[in-house]
Amino acid sequence: QQDVQINPGTNFIIYTDNGQTGLWLADGTGKLVTKLSSKAPLSRPSITDDGDLVVFVGNDKRIHYIIIDWAKGTFSESVGQNETIWRNAIISRQGTLLAASKDQKENKIHVFDYNSQKWNVFELFNPTFSNGVKTGAVQYSDAMEFDHTGERVMYDAINTIKNTAGADVEYWDISFLRVYNNARSAFGDGKISKLFGQLPEKTSVGNPTFSKNSPFIIAFDMVVDKGGIPAQSDYYCLGGNTETGKIDTVFFNTELSWPNYSNADDKIIFNASTNSGTKVVGQVKVTTSKIEGTGAASALISNARLGVWFANGARKLPTAIDNELVTKYGLKLSPNPVTGDQITIQWSQPKTGEETRFSIYDISGKLRFSNMRKFAEGNQSITIRVNDLSNGIYLLKMETNGKYGTLKFVK
């Protein structure tokens, strides 16, 4: 796999405080910009690649959205899923898929496709080398993150197996779940692959995160149990190359790191404690391999946890999403962000006389506008009034002759 372009936008870090009472935004140097939410987060926040949308589960067990309008310098928060049943939720980098896990012990990940407006539930299991054989008991997943294409979710899960004495043993491991097939614009087959075929006894791995620009580079936590007392366990923040299989050490910690890469992949930020016991988001530089720490670590943000580094620019991601009306037929939307009461849609109609549907959905998946018309082949444009839409992020979906295109816009 090839590296992707570094996001050209401004660097930011979103984080919670030590008591997890809200969410704050800092710049890339750790300087506070603003408080984003007073809702206590139950899960680590997840952010689209362009920084427009933040998703997290609050302590009310609902899925919350924070929409950031960088052009206007404003942000707003809303509840996307009202059910009080969730423990974690993440958004794909493209903003087209949502993955969530419920606040109960179930071996499932729930995925919502904003394009089709459908949910799909994927069962989690531990695959073996025997075709179709599943082994071990997956209790539930916790940390999750979409890969750069939006096709796979990397997650950790707690498992139960029996040791040689016949006793149940619990451990955490990391797996990759294929939730979407971009070539078919449909949900994936649910195939699962594991980061490690087998872990040493009393060893767990979890809290995985992808490099920002190298799809094959990840960082994660490893914990070696030393007698069942967390304070006596060994905590490692590790980096890994999934193409070469090489693993290296980023940082020796005294707690779970919850690592996250910087926008340029030259640093990793992580949970840490100072010598005086202050909880901080720390930082350490990494070598050009991106999986090995170098130099001394330092505190970046005081009284902070669960930092996520991002930038608010636009870049091309390695995706094969069948967005044919955009890629081949020039589907465009303007102005974006919306500056008045209407938007103009332009495209090249593939075939005369075909019914063409335009739909607008809000970020929670609710249909806000739908219209169907017929057009002649060739360059076309229509105007849609959006004065009834409140400020926020929306998806415009166009369908014609078995082809579709989806564009995100901000009002």
Side-chain angles (χ1 to χ4, degrees):
Q1 300 183 69
Q2 300 294 318
D3 282 2
V4 298
Q5 171 198 1
I6 295 177
N7 189 309
T10 303
N11 283 237
F12 293 98
I13 299 168
I14 186 172
Y15 63 94
T16 186
D17 62 329
N18 185 38
Q20 292 190 208
T21 63
L23 291 174
W24 284 262
L25 185 70
D27 63 20
T29 68
K31 182 180 179 181
L32 178 65
V33 175
T34 189
K35 186 174 185 178
L36 282 178
S37 174
S38 294
K39 172 58 63 176
L42 188 63
S43 71
R44 184 181 196 171
S46 173
I47 308 164
T48 53
D49 196 69
D50 57 12
D52 283 351
L53 177 64
V54 179
V55 174
F56 68 98
V57 173
N59 62 354
D60 56 1
K61 300 180 183 179
R62 292 183 170 95
I63 298 177
H64 292 253
Y65 298 98
I66 301 175
I67 298 167
I68 304 177
D69 186 335
W70 297 103
K72 297 178 182 177
T74 60
F75 58 91
S76 60
E77 183 176 348
S78 62
V79 175
Q81 300 293 330
N82 277 308
E83 302 94 337
T84 57
I85 59 174
W86 304 106
R87 183 178 62 256
N88 191 13
I90 60 171
I91 192 77
S92 66
R93 297 166 195 265
Q94 296 83 0
T96 56
L97 295 169
L98 176 83
S101 57
K102 291 184 177 181
D103 189 40
Q104 63 188 56
K105 289 186 177 181
E106 69 164 10
N107 61 333
K108 296 178 174 66
I109 290 178
H110 304 252
V111 178
F112 183 72
D113 177 10
Y114 286 105
N115 287 325
S116 66
Q117 298 296 302
K118 294 179 180 178
W119 284 95
N120 198 56
V121 181
F122 294 89
E123 178 189 359
L124 306 180
F125 57 88
N126 290 321
T128 67
F129 292 107
S130 300
N131 187 32
V133 176
K134 306 173 185 178
T135 184
V138 179
Q139 294 188 36
Y140 59 90
S141 65
D142 186 26
M144 301 182 290
E145 187 173 313
F146 276 98
D147 72 355
H148 293 69
T149 69
E151 287 193 317
R152 296 190 304 165
V153 170
M154 178 171 60
Y155 66 93
D156 65 14
I158 189 168
N159 307 267
T160 303
I161 60 171
K162 292 188 180 297
N163 62 16
T164 54
D168 286 340
V169 176
E170 291 185 342
Y171 69 98
W172 289 86
D173 68 358
I174 296 170
S175 301
F176 303 86
L177 171 67
R178 191 153 60 195
V179 299
Y180 205 75
N181 185 320
N182 286 335
R184 294 176 53 242
S185 301
F187 286 114
D189 56 13
K191 181 179 179 181
I192 292 175
S193 58
K194 302 182 75 65
L195 180 61
F196 295 103
Q198 186 175 1
L199 288 167
E201 190 175 353
K202 298 184 179 180
T203 300
S204 289
V205 292
N207 304 325
T209 187
F210 282 102
S211 151
K212 293 296 191 295
N213 310 300
S214 300
F216 51 91
I217 297 293
I218 64 172
F220 56 94
D221 276 309
M222 174 178 280
V223 181
V224 181
D225 182 12
K226 294 293 184 66
I229 302 175
Q232 295 179 0
S233 297
D234 291 334
Y235 294 88
Y236 303 88
C237 178
L238 302 178
N241 185 316
T242 60
E243 287 188 336
T244 66
K246 185 177 180 181
I247 304 293
D248 218 323
T249 301
V250 175
F251 184 70
F252 293 102
N253 210 335
T254 58
E255 59 187 289
L256 292 173
S257 294
W258 285 87
N260 194 261
Y261 279 92
S262 67
N263 186 48
D265 286 341
D266 58 347
K267 299 177 185 176
I268 286 180
I269 57 175
F270 54 92
N271 282 3
S273 299
T274 65
N275 293 334
S276 62
T278 302
K279 300 296 185 181
V280 300
V281 168
Q283 62 178 344
V284 65
K285 292 181 179 179
V286 292
T287 65
T288 55
S289 71
K290 303 185 181 183
I291 63 173
E292 181 184 11
T294 181
S298 61
L300 180 62
I301 308 174
S302 186
N303 185 30
R305 315 297 279 167
L306 303 178
V308 179
W309 198 308
F310 69 98
N312 62 353
R315 61 175 176 168
K316 184 177 181 180
L317 291 170
T319 175
I321 292 176
D322 186 14
N323 209 354
E324 193 171 3
L325 289 175
V326 175
T327 58
K328 292 186 178 180
Y329 296 94
L331 178 63
K332 296 186 296 185
L333 179 155
S334 62
N336 189 13
V338 178
T339 56
D341 293 335
Q342 61 187 31
I343 56 175
T344 299
I345 315 299
Q346 296 174 294
W347 75 100
S348 178
Q349 181 72 15
K351 189 176 180 180
T352 297
E354 293 289 342
E355 289 187 333
T356 301
R357 179 181 295 275
F358 297 89
S359 305
I360 295 177
Y361 297 90
D362 64 24
I363 199 63
S364 69
K366 182 179 179 180
L367 180 65
R368 305 299 299 271
F369 171 86
S370 182
N371 181 264
M372 183 178 290
R373 292 174 54 183
K374 291 184 179 181
F375 296 89
E377 182 178 352
N379 294 334
Q380 299 290 345
S381 68
I382 65 165
T383 297
I384 298 176
R385 295 194 63 81
V386 293
N387 53 303
D388 291 335
L389 299 180
S390 58
N391 291 340
I393 294 178
Y394 296 89
L395 293 177
L396 169 78
K397 184 176 181 181
M398 175 180 170
E399 300 171 87
T400 184
N401 192 30
K403 301 176 177 60
Y404 87 92
T406 303
L407 294 174
K408 182 176 71 173
F409 69 94
V410 178
K411 182 176 186 293

mmCIF file of all heavy atoms in Angstrom, residues 287-319:
data_model
loop_
_atom_site.group_PDB
_atom_site.id
_atom_site.type_symbol
_atom_site.label_atom_id
_atom_site.label_comp_id
_atom_site.label_asym_id
_atom_site.label_seq_id
_atom_site.Cartn_x
_atom_site.Cartn_y
_atom_site.Cartn_z
ATOM 1 N N THR A 287 10.516 7.518 14.668
ATOM 2 C CA THR A 287 11.457 7.489 13.563
ATOM 3 C C THR A 287 10.701 7.435 12.235
ATOM 4 O O THR A 287 9.474 7.365 12.200
ATOM 5 C CB THR A 287 12.382 6.273 13.684
ATOM 6 O OG1 THR A 287 11.584 5.076 13.541
ATOM 7 C CG2 THR A 287 13.084 6.258 15.034
ATOM 8 N N THR A 288 11.432 7.440 11.128
ATOM 9 C CA THR A 288 10.789 7.393 9.810
ATOM 10 C C THR A 288 10.037 6.091 9.582
ATOM 11 O O THR A 288 9.180 6.015 8.697
ATOM 12 C CB THR A 288 11.841 7.571 8.706
ATOM 13 O OG1 THR A 288 12.874 6.590 8.871
ATOM 14 C CG2 THR A 288 12.448 8.967 8.754
ATOM 15 N N SER A 289 10.315 5.060 10.390
ATOM 16 C CA SER A 289 9.548 3.808 10.296
ATOM 17 C C SER A 289 8.136 3.987 10.819
ATOM 18 O O SER A 289 7.241 3.179 10.537
ATOM 19 C CB SER A 289 10.241 2.701 11.091
ATOM 20 O OG SER A 289 10.117 2.932 12.492
ATOM 21 N N LYS A 290 7.927 5.004 11.638
ATOM 22 C CA LYS A 290 6.655 5.363 12.266
ATOM 23 C C LYS A 290 6.220 4.386 13.347
ATOM 24 O O LYS A 290 5.136 4.537 13.921
ATOM 25 C CB LYS A 290 5.520 5.506 11.227
ATOM 26 C CG LYS A 290 5.804 6.519 10.134
ATOM 27 C CD LYS A 290 4.607 6.709 9.229
ATOM 28 C CE LYS A 290 4.910 7.715 8.109
ATOM 29 N NZ LYS A 290 3.742 7.980 7.257
ATOM 30 N N ILE A 291 7.058 3.400 13.670
ATOM 31 C CA ILE A 291 6.663 2.413 14.673
ATOM 32 C C ILE A 291 7.636 2.372 15.852
ATOM 33 O O ILE A 291 7.456 1.563 16.764
ATOM 34 C CB ILE A 291 6.534 0.998 14.061
ATOM 35 C CG1 ILE A 291 7.867 0.488 13.524
ATOM 36 C CG2 ILE A 291 5.467 0.990 12.970
ATOM 37 C CD1 ILE A 291 7.820 -0.969 13.058
ATOM 38 N N GLU A 292 8.626 3.252 15.863
ATOM 39 C CA GLU A 292 9.611 3.267 16.938
ATOM 40 C C GLU A 292 9.749 4.679 17.495
ATOM 41 O O GLU A 292 9.956 5.639 16.748
ATOM 42 C CB GLU A 292 10.969 2.792 16.436
ATOM 43 C CG GLU A 292 12.044 2.759 17.514
ATOM 44 C CD GLU A 292 13.403 2.383 16.969
ATOM 45 O OE1 GLU A 292 13.563 2.344 15.731
ATOM 46 O OE2 GLU A 292 14.312 2.133 17.789
ATOM 47 N N GLY A 293 9.627 4.785 18.821
ATOM 48 C CA GLY A 293 9.798 6.073 19.455
ATOM 49 C C GLY A 293 11.250 6.499 19.475
ATOM 50 O O GLY A 293 12.162 5.666 19.474
ATOM 51 N N THR A 294 11.478 7.815 19.486
ATOM 52 C CA THR A 294 12.838 8.334 19.548
ATOM 53 C C THR A 294 12.858 9.594 20.401
ATOM 54 O O THR A 294 11.954 10.432 20.318
ATOM 55 C CB THR A 294 13.399 8.631 18.146
ATOM 56 O OG1 THR A 294 14.736 9.116 18.255
ATOM 57 C CG2 THR A 294 12.563 9.650 17.399
ATOM 58 N N GLY A 295 13.870 9.732 21.233
ATOM 59 C CA GLY A 295 13.970 10.901 22.094
ATOM 60 C C GLY A 295 13.084 10.781 23.317
ATOM 61 O O GLY A 295 12.367 9.787 23.516
ATOM 62 N N ALA A 296 13.125 11.811 24.146
ATOM 63 C CA ALA A 296 12.368 11.823 25.390
ATOM 64 C C ALA A 296 10.921 12.240 25.142
ATOM 65 O O ALA A 296 10.645 13.113 24.315
ATOM 66 C CB ALA A 296 13.021 12.772 26.389
ATOM 67 N N ALA A 297 10.008 11.597 25.861
ATOM 68 C CA ALA A 297 8.603 11.988 25.808
ATOM 69 C C ALA A 297 8.389 13.234 26.656
ATOM 70 O O ALA A 297 9.154 13.522 27.571
ATOM 71 C CB ALA A 297 7.713 10.857 26.297
ATOM 72 N N SER A 298 7.319 13.980 26.354
ATOM 73 C CA SER A 298 7.009 15.196 27.112
ATOM 74 C C SER A 298 5.503 15.364 27.204
ATOM 75 O O SER A 298 4.744 14.786 26.423
ATOM 76 C CB SER A 298 7.628 16.424 26.436
ATOM 77 O OG SER A 298 7.106 16.587 25.120
ATOM 78 N N ALA A 299 5.075 16.168 28.183
ATOM 79 C CA ALA A 299 3.649 16.471 28.337
ATOM 80 C C ALA A 299 3.237 17.491 27.282
ATOM 81 O O ALA A 299 3.920 18.490 27.072
ATOM 82 C CB ALA A 299 3.369 17.001 29.727
ATOM 83 N N LEU A 300 2.116 17.238 26.630
ATOM 84 C CA LEU A 300 1.596 18.159 25.617
ATOM 85 C C LEU A 300 0.410 18.955 26.149
ATOM 86 O O LEU A 300 0.339 20.168 25.984
ATOM 87 C CB LEU A 300 1.194 17.390 24.363
ATOM 88 C CG LEU A 300 0.631 18.197 23.201
ATOM 89 C CD1 LEU A 300 1.664 19.198 22.690
ATOM 90 C CD2 LEU A 300 0.172 17.282 22.069
ATOM 91 N N ILE A 301 -0.551 18.261 26.793
ATOM 92 C CA ILE A 301 -1.734 18.921 27.341
ATOM 93 C C ILE A 301 -1.949 18.398 28.759
ATOM 94 O O ILE A 301 -2.059 17.184 28.961
ATOM 95 C CB ILE A 301 -2.990 18.658 26.487
ATOM 96 C CG1 ILE A 301 -2.736 18.993 25.019
ATOM 97 C CG2 ILE A 301 -4.171 19.475 27.006
ATOM 98 C CD1 ILE A 301 -3.883 18.611 24.101
ATOM 99 N N SER A 302 -2.029 19.292 29.726
ATOM 100 C CA SER A 302 -2.211 18.896 31.121
ATOM 101 C C SER A 302 -3.681 18.633 31.418
ATOM 102 O O SER A 302 -4.580 19.215 30.786
ATOM 103 C CB SER A 302 -1.677 19.986 32.047
ATOM 104 O OG SER A 302 -1.719 19.574 33.397
ATOM 105 N N ASN A 303 -3.935 17.754 32.389
ATOM 106 C CA ASN A 303 -5.295 17.366 32.779
ATOM 107 C C ASN A 303 -6.100 16.968 31.550
ATOM 108 O O ASN A 303 -7.194 17.462 31.293
ATOM 109 C CB ASN A 303 -6.013 18.497 33.521
ATOM 110 C CG ASN A 303 -7.379 18.066 34.050
ATOM 111 O OD1 ASN A 303 -7.587 16.897 34.363
ATOM 112 N ND2 ASN A 303 -8.324 19.006 34.117
ATOM 113 N N ALA A 304 -5.536 16.050 30.775
ATOM 114 C CA ALA A 304 -6.145 15.665 29.508
ATOM 115 C C ALA A 304 -5.990 14.165 29.277
ATOM 116 O O ALA A 304 -5.035 13.546 29.746
ATOM 117 C CB ALA A 304 -5.504 16.431 28.353
ATOM 118 N N ARG A 305 -6.960 13.599 28.534
ATOM 119 C CA ARG A 305 -6.946 12.175 28.213
ATOM 120 C C ARG A 305 -7.518 11.987 26.817
ATOM 121 O O ARG A 305 -8.212 12.841 26.274
ATOM 122 C CB ARG A 305 -7.797 11.344 29.197
ATOM 123 C CG ARG A 305 -7.614 11.666 30.653
ATOM 124 C CD ARG A 305 -6.215 11.405 31.150
ATOM 125 N NE ARG A 305 -5.970 10.016 31.452
ATOM 126 C CZ ARG A 305 -4.756 9.521 31.660
ATOM 127 N NH1 ARG A 305 -3.706 10.305 31.567
ATOM 128 N NH2 ARG A 305 -4.590 8.252 31.951
ATOM 129 N N LEU A 306 -7.236 10.825 26.236
ATOM 130 C CA LEU A 306 -7.876 10.354 25.003
ATOM 131 C C LEU A 306 -7.744 11.363 23.862
ATOM 132 O O LEU A 306 -8.710 11.672 23.149
ATOM 133 C CB LEU A 306 -9.360 10.032 25.237
ATOM 134 C CG LEU A 306 -9.657 8.991 26.336
ATOM 135 C CD1 LEU A 306 -11.161 8.805 26.492
ATOM 136 C CD2 LEU A 306 -8.987 7.668 26.044
ATOM 137 N N GLY A 307 -6.548 11.873 23.636
ATOM 138 C CA GLY A 307 -6.335 12.843 22.575
ATOM 139 C C GLY A 307 -6.431 12.231 21.180
ATOM 140 O O GLY A 307 -5.947 11.123 20.944
ATOM 141 N N VAL A 308 -7.053 12.962 20.277
ATOM 142 C CA VAL A 308 -7.129 12.570 18.861
ATOM 143 C C VAL A 308 -6.646 13.746 18.025
ATOM 144 O O VAL A 308 -7.211 14.837 18.072
ATOM 145 C CB VAL A 308 -8.570 12.189 18.450
ATOM 146 C CG1 VAL A 308 -8.605 11.815 16.968
ATOM 147 C CG2 VAL A 308 -9.076 11.029 19.296
ATOM 148 N N TRP A 309 -5.593 13.524 17.260
ATOM 149 C CA TRP A 309 -4.977 14.564 16.414
ATOM 150 C C TRP A 309 -5.635 14.517 15.039
ATOM 151 O O TRP A 309 -5.844 13.447 14.464
ATOM 152 C CB TRP A 309 -3.483 14.282 16.296
ATOM 153 C CG TRP A 309 -2.637 15.441 15.844
ATOM 154 C CD1 TRP A 309 -2.833 16.212 14.738
ATOM 155 C CD2 TRP A 309 -1.444 15.925 16.456
ATOM 156 N NE1 TRP A 309 -1.844 17.153 14.628
ATOM 157 C CE2 TRP A 309 -0.973 16.993 15.674
ATOM 158 C CE3 TRP A 309 -0.724 15.541 17.590
ATOM 159 C CZ2 TRP A 309 0.192 17.690 15.987
ATOM 160 C CZ3 TRP A 309 0.428 16.244 17.907
ATOM 161 C CH2 TRP A 309 0.876 17.314 17.115
ATOM 162 N N PHE A 310 -5.944 15.689 14.472
ATOM 163 C CA PHE A 310 -6.537 15.727 13.132
ATOM 164 C C PHE A 310 -6.212 17.059 12.486
ATOM 165 O O PHE A 310 -5.676 17.977 13.108
ATOM 166 C CB PHE A 310 -8.060 15.512 13.200
ATOM 167 C CG PHE A 310 -8.824 16.654 13.819
ATOM 168 C CD1 PHE A 310 -9.444 17.614 13.025
ATOM 169 C CD2 PHE A 310 -8.931 16.769 15.199
ATOM 170 C CE1 PHE A 310 -10.149 18.657 13.597
ATOM 171 C CE2 PHE A 310 -9.639 17.812 15.777
ATOM 172 C CZ PHE A 310 -10.244 18.762 14.980
ATOM 173 N N ALA A 311 -6.522 17.167 11.205
ATOM 174 C CA ALA A 311 -6.388 18.425 10.469
ATOM 175 C C ALA A 311 -7.673 18.665 9.695
ATOM 176 O O ALA A 311 -8.426 17.735 9.401
ATOM 177 C CB ALA A 311 -5.182 18.389 9.535
ATOM 178 N N ASN A 312 -7.946 19.918 9.355
ATOM 179 C CA ASN A 312 -9.245 20.266 8.760
ATOM 180 C C ASN A 312 -9.160 20.569 7.269
ATOM 181 O O ASN A 312 -9.962 21.333 6.728
ATOM 182 C CB ASN A 312 -9.868 21.448 9.498
ATOM 183 C CG ASN A 312 -9.022 22.711 9.405
ATOM 184 O OD1 ASN A 312 -7.901 22.684 8.897
ATOM 185 N ND2 ASN A 312 -9.564 23.826 9.882
ATOM 186 N N GLY A 313 -8.198 19.946 6.590
ATOM 187 C CA GLY A 313 -8.092 20.125 5.142
ATOM 188 C C GLY A 313 -8.762 19.001 4.382
ATOM 189 O O GLY A 313 -9.317 18.067 4.957
ATOM 190 N N ALA A 314 -8.718 19.083 3.056
ATOM 191 C CA ALA A 314 -9.291 18.052 2.180
ATOM 192 C C ALA A 314 -8.166 17.367 1.417
ATOM 193 O O ALA A 314 -7.212 18.013 0.986
ATOM 194 C CB ALA A 314 -10.283 18.676 1.198
ATOM 195 N N ARG A 315 -8.265 16.054 1.273
ATOM 196 C CA ARG A 315 -7.272 15.287 0.525
ATOM 197 C C ARG A 315 -7.947 14.063 -0.078
ATOM 198 O O ARG A 315 -9.049 13.673 0.320
ATOM 199 C CB ARG A 315 -6.124 14.845 1.437
ATOM 200 C CG ARG A 315 -6.562 13.949 2.588
ATOM 201 C CD ARG A 315 -5.386 13.436 3.373
ATOM 202 N NE ARG A 315 -5.817 12.655 4.534
ATOM 203 C CZ ARG A 315 -5.007 11.902 5.264
ATOM 204 N NH1 ARG A 315 -3.719 11.821 4.949
ATOM 205 N NH2 ARG A 315 -5.467 11.231 6.304
ATOM 206 N N LYS A 316 -7.277 13.430 -1.018
ATOM 207 C CA LYS A 316 -7.800 12.234 -1.655
ATOM 208 C C LYS A 316 -7.369 11.021 -0.853
ATOM 209 O O LYS A 316 -6.188 10.813 -0.605
ATOM 210 C CB LYS A 316 -7.294 12.122 -3.090
ATOM 211 C CG LYS A 316 -7.878 10.939 -3.853
ATOM 212 C CD LYS A 316 -7.389 10.922 -5.299
ATOM 213 C CE LYS A 316 -8.003 9.748 -6.053
ATOM 214 N NZ LYS A 316 -7.541 9.704 -7.464
ATOM 215 N N LEU A 317 -8.347 10.208 -0.459
ATOM 216 C CA LEU A 317 -8.067 9.002 0.307
ATOM 217 C C LEU A 317 -8.086 7.781 -0.600
ATOM 218 O O LEU A 317 -8.729 7.798 -1.664
ATOM 219 C CB LEU A 317 -9.107 8.836 1.417
ATOM 220 C CG LEU A 317 -9.030 9.872 2.542
ATOM 221 C CD1 LEU A 317 -10.240 9.750 3.450
ATOM 222 C CD2 LEU A 317 -7.745 9.712 3.327
ATOM 223 N N PRO A 318 -7.390 6.710 -0.202
ATOM 224 C CA PRO A 318 -7.328 5.505 -1.050
ATOM 225 C C PRO A 318 -8.616 4.711 -0.977
ATOM 226 O O PRO A 318 -8.730 3.720 -0.265
ATOM 227 C CB PRO A 318 -6.164 4.721 -0.433
ATOM 228 C CG PRO A 318 -6.178 5.112 0.993
ATOM 229 C CD PRO A 318 -6.597 6.556 1.019
ATOM 230 N N THR A 319 -9.616 5.150 -1.717
ATOM 231 C CA THR A 319 -10.905 4.477 -1.697
ATOM 232 C C THR A 319 -11.366 4.191 -3.111
ATOM 233 O O THR A 319 -11.103 4.953 -4.035
ATOM 234 C CB THR A 319 -11.954 5.328 -0.976
ATOM 235 O OG1 THR A 319 -13.231 4.691 -1.076
ATOM 236 C CG2 THR A 319 -12.064 6.715 -1.574
#
